[in-house]
Amino acid sequence: MTPRAPRSVHQFGGDWTARKLHAVQRYLNAYTTALRRQPFTLLYVDAFAGTPFHETSPLAEIVEPLFPGFDADEPTRLLEGSARRALQVEPPFDRYLFFEKHRVRCAQLEQLRADFPALADRIVIERREANDAIRTLCAGGWAGRRATMFLDPYGMQVEWATIEAIAATRAVDLWVLFPLGIAVNRLITRSGEIPPPWRHRLDLMLGSEEWYQAFYEIVPEPTLFGDDRARVVKASQEVIGGYFTRRLRGIFSGVADRPAILQNSRGMPLYLLCFAVGNPRGTETALRIANHILREAT
């Protein structure tokens, strides 16, 4: 039996985790370099900041109870988490905002100030629920501020109203993981009969009840007696991911057309790594950089 990692280490993911973190870090380096001479206060915002390190591990405890098998056979290794990677970016950001709801993981983030003493006074760590923290932040004034935000939920925690608040700032570039295979595809049942709590969760995450019509098709099926009966056809994961991308495109200045598909070692899609641009004036440059990174991350 594979031993559990110490409690100070966050267990989750495999090679796809490394690719996700590397992609975001590459963008952050390009972002601060491009804006270093601009008169903006630059923020990095991580609303699921977790712990300073991630240990990739088979059957991570976060996934196993709900979706067994998704992370089986993944290699075990220690990875620097998104918070530490952001703090290594040069030139640095002016402020780092780390939100984490979990009490222990939030406390562990305090180690970052000791590990990065030159940036200690720029680090803000708050124990808060992500949706509430982001909406409060986005409601503030954004004149003279720009930000890159990374939303890396474990499942379906990010609500569409939160993404709308981010887009409304017209100042935030967003990297977000959409839980395509690890959650959404599992709730979209083949029969089309979805329990009310599941439908409510999908409504919150997708911001509308219209997803049902987009994800299901009723087709006639001939019987032996010459009449037709209705058959429900469930959308493919490609259709589901495309729906989310179109929703992003409706509220942001620009959206990467081809999110990176993050798969486990068995080739099962877990997440889509999506990118959206907040400020219209920076759309062309941001998309060119992000699209290049996403192509290499898939």
Side-chain angles (χ1 to χ4, degrees):
M1 177 180 295
T2 304
R4 291 181 181 270
R7 291 184 61 86
S8 61
V9 176
H10 179 188
Q11 290 188 342
F12 194 51
D15 180 64
W16 61 271
T17 301
R19 288 186 285 121
K20 165 194 70 178
L21 294 171
H22 181 62
V24 174
Q25 185 176 18
R26 286 182 64 191
Y27 184 80
L28 297 181
N29 278 308
Y31 182 85
T32 58
T33 298
L35 294 180
R36 69 184 183 279
R37 300 187 188 280
Q38 299 297 318
F40 299 121
T41 298
L42 299 184
L43 310 179
Y44 172 74
V45 184
D46 192 329
F48 297 89
T51 58
F53 293 96
H54 295 256
E55 179 173 329
T56 64
S57 136
L59 297 177
E61 59 185 347
I62 296 173
V63 176
E64 184 178 8
L66 294 178
F67 309 120
F70 263 96
D71 272 6
D73 302 326
E74 297 289 3
T76 300
R77 55 192 172 131
L78 198 66
L79 295 175
E80 289 187 314
S82 55
R84 292 188 66 88
R85 287 170 180 253
L87 288 162
Q88 293 170 14
V89 166
E90 291 291 344
F93 285 83
D94 297 304
R95 298 279 279 177
Y96 301 84
L97 308 182
F98 300 128
F99 302 124
E100 172 58 57
K101 181 180 178 180
H102 191 281
R103 179 181 59 81
V104 174
R105 290 198 290 265
C106 187
Q108 289 165 350
L109 286 170
E110 295 292 339
Q111 180 63 34
L112 293 172
R113 291 195 176 94
D115 292 344
F116 297 89
L119 300 175
D121 61 347
R122 305 187 186 193
I123 297 172
V124 176
I125 301 169
E126 294 186 23
R127 184 188 171 197
R128 296 185 63 179
E129 193 275 329
N131 292 285
D132 175 66
I134 294 169
R135 292 177 201 176
T136 300
L137 173 66
C138 290
W142 281 88
R145 296 198 297 172
R146 294 291 184 268
T148 296
M149 185 179 298
F150 183 37
L151 299 184
D152 185 9
Y154 309 127
M156 300 171 63
Q157 293 94 336
V158 178
E159 298 176 3
W160 185 255
T162 299
I163 294 180
E164 287 182 315
I166 297 166
T169 67
R170 297 174 70 84
V172 178
D173 289 355
L174 174 66
W175 288 88
V176 57
L177 257 69
F178 177 68
L180 175 64
I182 202 167
V184 177
N185 190 54
R186 293 255 171 149
L187 299 190
I188 307 298
T189 63
R190 190 172 298 276
S191 67
E193 298 178 1
I194 302 177
W198 294 9
R199 291 190 68 138
H200 179 64
R201 186 70 253 170
L202 288 162
D203 290 347
L204 288 176
M205 193 182 77
L206 297 173
S208 169
E209 297 180 0
E210 295 177 358
W211 58 264
Y212 191 90
Q213 286 71 36
F215 294 169
Y216 290 102
E217 181 182 4
I218 308 298
V219 299
E221 188 174 58
T223 70
L224 294 175
F225 303 101
D227 56 352
D228 292 339
R229 64 183 176 186
R231 181 168 64 93
V232 176
V233 178
K234 173 185 172 180
S236 66
Q237 293 192 37
E238 182 178 4
V239 170
I240 296 170
Y243 178 84
F244 183 71
T245 301
R246 288 194 301 275
R247 294 283 288 158
L248 290 175
R249 195 174 296 120
I251 59 174
F252 281 92
S253 297
V255 174
D257 290 327
R258 302 181 71 84
I261 303 172
L262 304 179
Q263 302 172 323
N264 67 5
S265 60
R266 298 181 177 183
M268 301 172 69
L270 301 177
Y271 292 94
L272 294 181
L273 178 59
C274 305
F275 175 77
V277 186
N279 187 273
R281 296 182 62 181
T283 297
E284 183 178 351
T285 300
L287 283 181
R288 184 174 66 251
I289 296 170
N291 282 327
H292 176 73
I293 292 171
L294 287 168
R295 282 194 298 271
E296 296 186 353
T298 297

